[in-house]
Amino acid sequence: MKSTFLSLRQLDTLQRIGDFMLPGASNMPSFSETDSLSFVDEILSETPEPDVKDLAMLLSVLAFLPGSVIAWLVKLAQRADKFPGLLGGQLRLLDLGLRGVIFSLYYSGKTGGQAKSASPLQAIGFELVCLAEPSPKNTLHENNL
Amino acid sequence: MTTISTQPLKGGGNSAMSKIYDFVIIGSGPAGSVIAKRLCEAGASCLLLEAGQDFKAEEYPENELNANSRLLWNGGMDANRNADMLFLRGKAVGGGSVVNQCLLDRFDDIAWDSWQQATGIDWFNQQSMANYYQQVESDLSLHEMQRQDWNRNAELYVESFEKCGYQWAPLRRGQADCGKGNDCMRCLGGCPRESKQSMPVTYLRRAIAAGLDVQAGFEVNSVIEGQHFVSICGQQQVAGTVKKTFKSAVVYARHCVLAAGALGTTKLLLNSGYGDAVAGLGKNFYCHPQFMTLARMAEVVDAHKGAFQAVKSNDPRFREQGFKLENVFAGPIAVAMLKPGSGKQHQRFMQNYRHLACMEVAIRDVNPGTISTGKDGRLKIEKVLGEEDRQRARAGNDVVRTLFESVGALEILQSPLKIGLHLMGGCAIGKKDAVVDEQFQLQGSSRLRVVDSSIFPNAPGINPSLTIMALAHRAADEILQHAGSSLSTARASNRVQSASAKPSNVEVSV
């Protein structure tokens, strides 16, 4: 797996956090089983550079921590409301950032080449249909303007 | 006819960098596009700058991940300082109109009266604005949602309202032909059918036909007013790289219209150094905070199928209490974010996606926030709910719970995440000491006008899109009236030049 924005170690850490957050349940695959991490650059290429740097630095630090400590930190961030003021805000940002990246990848339904399961969207039965051919009726507004 | 360019601006020759336009318009959402169309049709030379990319209808992302990351500023993760409220704003040619639901309601007397009271502007009333509303309404294809448009989520909404004795009404939406069997939730990432009346298929299309130049991928960092023209400085994205690269660029205009939205316009003015000179800049920020409630039903609801929104609350008691209830839903990524936590339990909840019904409380917030920028120029948004706001949210959420209970919900989840979709204020309009005067002119400036939701003096409690466009029509009248004779002269002059086929460097002088 390659990323223009994250190192292999950082990607590995993100995968570990992903599997902690989405371990798999019933017919829902785990995060790593979808190989959706392969698409992380699709998010990061559109993310402001300072935010990408912050994420990379966070993952670099977390890479040295044992799984149990990462799990504790993730759970702590998810209980941010219990902490007032600046600390609560920072924990909420951490929660938003991590869940934002991991849930976006997982529930995008994108599965990478190393996927060991079907997409989670198949598991929940999500499908959107929109016939993309513009109908001639849709050009009516041109006469109106 | 000109086309939309995403190529970097170049100096020299006849390029945008060496030309002095009559108007540079910053932002291509509903306000910027209406203004662009009106000014171009009047004969002015205009350049419209948009930080986001240009998409053809068939190029809009199909996937929720790509729609979020490519069509929203910061992937939809702009947060307040406390990180408990997210602000969503469009970043593409067409701005917010590409990612919204194009719900087009006029303001009522309550909204206009509160604006008149806050600003002293006497044309803030239904009668004075009627012509402008009418112009927009006749320019767009409008559809009042019918019974046959309802999906099961809408049916449950109506069923619960009727059981509990609350009033509802059909929604009015800007759409031409959504066809049959299509799922309009896709519209949140841009309408591939060109049915939704977003700017790229309506006002912007006509503006381009009238000669508008559009530069996509151009993020403006500052505006500098000179004696004779305005320099608009920014960064042009260089296409074709995974890691984005930018080139500095400057364009020039005799006048500049700021239409980058509440956050975009305010940020730009602050970063251009107007914060000290213009008291009130960055204040009075509102966003109609929205609170989503998901209800797990025994039946399959498939709230993501069919028409995304079809009905709305129309109960005067709700209006009095300062909230309204929306018939909405969200894609899997958004639903996953709305439910706190993670783990197996979270995944089991998501497995019920097709069984989820949804309603949303949108409050008319009264506690203003502030917009500022840091040393790095990035936005800092201070927005908290006041006691009155919390009371409104509680009242709305209580009603939603009652409504879902009345139709047999098995489980009800009221998400703690607050979302701001209607971003308003920061450059409030008014008669005296306001950021913007009633001619839409920035205080103390003769070359900058502000024409977007940043001028809102308070939260109306009604979807703002139609009123933003109506106000843009009014602003165009003001600008053209101010420019009137010189534009007519220039048009006449252009016709003569065209007939004699002589090259000329003469620009329209405004």
Side-chain angles (χ1 to χ4, degrees):
Chain A
M1 194 181 305
K2 275 186 183 171
S3 165
T4 309
F5 303 93
L6 300 176
S7 68
L8 279 177
R9 183 184 281 265
Q10 290 161 345
L11 285 170
D12 181 58
T13 307
L14 196 53
Q15 187 89 288
R16 282 164 63 203
I17 299 170
D19 274 340
F20 174 73
M21 286 185 168
L22 299 161
S26 310
N27 64 339
M28 300 284 273
S30 68
F31 180 71
S32 57
E33 282 172 333
T34 64
D35 192 27
S36 53
L37 188 58
S38 306
F39 301 92
V40 72
D41 279 5
E42 293 189 17
I43 297 176
L44 299 183
S45 62
E46 304 290 338
T47 305
E49 206 176 316
D51 293 345
V52 175
K53 280 185 180 161
D54 286 350
L55 176 67
M57 190 185 293
L58 172 73
L59 293 171
S60 294
V61 173
L62 294 180
F64 292 99
L65 300 177
S68 56
V69 177
I70 293 179
W72 172 80
L73 197 59
V74 167
K75 285 284 176 199
L76 187 72
Q78 291 174 359
R79 286 194 290 269
D81 284 346
K82 299 206 183 306
F83 299 90
L86 190 64
L87 178 61
Q90 291 304 307
L91 286 172
R92 256 190 299 276
L93 267 183
L94 176 65
D95 181 46
L96 275 178
L98 290 177
R99 292 199 319 137
V101 171
I102 286 163
F103 286 177
S104 292
L105 289 168
Y106 183 80
Y107 289 110
S108 70
K110 290 172 182 268
T111 50
Q114 305 299 313
K116 297 186 183 84
S117 73
S119 136
L121 296 191
Q122 272 177 276
I124 64 177
F126 175 83
E127 191 192 6
L128 283 186
V129 175
C130 187
L131 297 176
E133 279 178 32
S135 143
K137 264 171 94 180
N138 293 347
T139 57
L140 277 179
H141 59 267
E142 289 190 31
N143 301 326
N144 293 341
L145 280 174
Chain B
M1 176 171 161
T2 52
T3 53
I4 297 177
S5 171
T6 51
Q7 296 304 308
L9 293 167
K10 292 173 188 147
N14 291 320
S15 73
M17 275 184 81
S18 62
K19 182 173 177 176
I20 299 178
Y21 285 90
D22 291 324
F23 295 95
V24 164
I25 300 153
I26 302 170
S28 63
S33 294
V34 169
I35 283 280
K37 182 236 177 204
R38 292 286 312 278
L39 298 182
C40 285
E41 287 186 345
S45 67
C46 298
L47 169 67
L48 188 147
L49 299 173
E50 166 57 49
Q53 297 301 308
D54 177 42
F55 295 86
K56 292 188 180 71
E58 65 271 20
E59 293 171 346
Y60 286 125
E62 282 185 49
N63 192 283
E64 193 183 358
L65 176 153
N66 300 114
N68 291 345
S69 63
R70 296 174 68 190
L71 300 177
L72 296 174
W73 281 89
N74 302 323
M77 299 295 269
D78 269 336
N80 61 346
R81 200 174 68 93
N82 207 26
D84 60 357
M85 203 181 291
L86 291 180
F87 307 106
L88 307 186
R89 51 186 178 128
K91 186 184 183 185
V93 170
S97 75
V98 170
V99 295
N100 72 9
Q101 268 294 302
C102 207
L103 304 178
L104 300 172
D105 285 330
R106 292 187 182 199
F107 281 9
D108 59 9
D109 285 334
I110 296 173
W112 285 123
D113 287 351
S114 79
W115 277 26
Q116 200 176 92
Q117 208 176 347
T119 63
I121 295 175
D122 52 13
W123 52 264
F124 276 158
N125 63 68
Q126 297 228 44
Q127 204 186 346
S128 301
M129 288 301 294
N131 278 342
Y132 298 109
Y133 275 134
Q134 226 159 12
Q135 280 187 57
V136 183
E137 287 161 346
S138 62
D139 283 345
L140 304 178
S141 296
L142 301 179
H143 175 71
E144 187 164 277
M145 304 301 277
Q146 304 295 312
R147 174 70 186 80
Q148 63 265 26
D149 296 319
W150 296 0
N151 64 8
R152 184 65 186 135
N153 195 37
E155 284 174 0
L156 285 167
Y157 184 100
V158 172
E159 203 180 310
S160 67
F161 265 61
E162 291 183 344
K163 274 188 176 169
C164 297
Y166 295 124
Q167 293 175 37
W168 61 274
L171 275 173
R172 186 171 71 155
R173 184 170 188 251
Q175 66 178 57
D177 176 15
C178 289
K180 281 189 179 160
N182 292 316
D183 303 324
C184 290
M185 193 161 82
R186 174 79 194 277
C187 265
L188 298 175
C191 175
R193 291 177 57 79
E194 297 196 340
S195 172
K196 183 170 71 171
Q197 300 289 278
S198 62
M199 294 303 106
V201 298
T202 56
Y203 283 100
L204 201 48
R205 185 174 281 179
R206 180 48 67 97
I208 290 169
L212 175 71
D213 287 343
V214 181
Q215 189 68 40
F218 188 111
E219 185 172 353
V220 179
N221 297 329
S222 64
V223 288
I224 303 165
E225 269 185 276
Q227 200 179 345
H228 301 293
F229 56 85
V230 186
S231 306
I232 296 112
C233 314
Q235 289 186 305
Q236 173 67 54
Q237 192 186 322
V238 180
T241 49
V242 179
K243 214 169 192 172
K244 283 192 175 146
T245 49
F246 298 87
K247 273 188 166 179
S248 295
V250 186
V251 292
Y252 305 97
R254 293 181 181 85
H255 295 269
C256 181
V257 178
L258 285 82
L263 297 184
T265 292
T266 307
K267 175 187 170 190
L268 177 55
L269 288 172
L270 287 167
N271 285 343
S272 301
Y274 287 91
D276 293 332
V278 184
L281 182 60
K283 299 195 172 85
N284 292 310
F285 172 62
Y286 300 90
C287 66
H288 291 160
Q290 305 190 356
F291 305 77
M292 287 181 82
T293 296
L294 298 160
R296 184 167 62 85
M297 311 299 291
E299 62 179 307
V300 168
V301 178
D302 274 345
H304 61 294
K305 306 296 282 182
F308 181 66
Q309 286 181 278
V311 285
K312 63 179 179 180
S313 60
N314 192 32
D315 199 297
R317 289 167 290 182
F318 296 172
R319 183 76 173 129
E320 227 167 79
Q321 290 180 78
F323 68 85
K324 61 177 184 152
L325 302 186
E326 307 259 27
N327 155 229
V328 292
F329 193 50
I333 293 173
V335 168
M337 291 299 290
L338 287 169
K339 177 165 171 61
S342 60
K344 283 180 187 288
Q345 199 191 355
H346 194 282
Q347 283 183 287
R348 279 194 283 270
F349 174 84
M350 287 300 293
Q351 267 197 290
N352 289 303
Y353 182 85
R354 293 185 63 203
H355 288 256
L356 296 176
C358 183
M359 279 186 222
E360 180 182 82
V361 176
I363 63 164
R364 185 180 183 207
D365 46 334
V366 292
N367 192 41
T370 57
I371 303 164
S372 59
T373 54
K375 282 181 185 163
D376 56 1
R378 297 187 77 187
L379 275 170
K380 294 200 303 196
I381 304 163
E382 191 76 44
K383 176 71 181 165
V384 295
L385 300 181
E387 182 44 42
E388 175 68 23
D389 296 327
R390 284 195 292 274
Q391 170 58 33
R392 290 171 181 212
R394 268 195 302 272
N397 280 329
D398 287 348
V399 172
V400 169
R401 180 169 284 279
T402 306
L403 289 167
F404 274 134
E405 283 170 352
S406 77
V407 287
L410 302 175
E411 181 189 357
I412 295 172
L413 168 73
Q414 295 192 320
S415 175
L417 194 60
K418 298 176 273 291
I419 298 163
L421 294 174
H422 304 154
L423 311 181
M424 304 164 288
C427 304
I429 196 170
K431 273 200 156 172
K432 204 180 164 196
D433 299 330
V435 179
V436 174
D437 68 21
E438 59 181 314
Q439 282 80 42
F440 302 87
Q441 199 114 31
L442 181 72
Q443 189 192 116
S445 162
S446 60
R447 298 187 179 275
L448 299 182
R449 298 206 191 223
V450 180
V451 185
D452 58 26
S453 63
S454 69
I455 67 169
F456 281 25
N458 60 37
I462 294 172
N463 288 37
S465 199
L466 178 66
T467 302
I468 292 169
M469 288 188 273
L471 287 169
H473 268 292
R474 185 175 177 106
D477 280 355
E478 291 283 353
I479 294 169
L480 290 171
Q481 200 179 345
H482 186 250
S485 57
S486 51
L487 275 178
S488 325
T489 312
R491 277 204 304 278
S493 155
N494 284 345
R495 277 197 295 275
V496 171
Q497 284 157 21
S498 169
S500 60
K502 284 181 186 167
S504 170
N505 292 324
V506 175
E507 287 292 339
V508 178
S509 173
V510 181

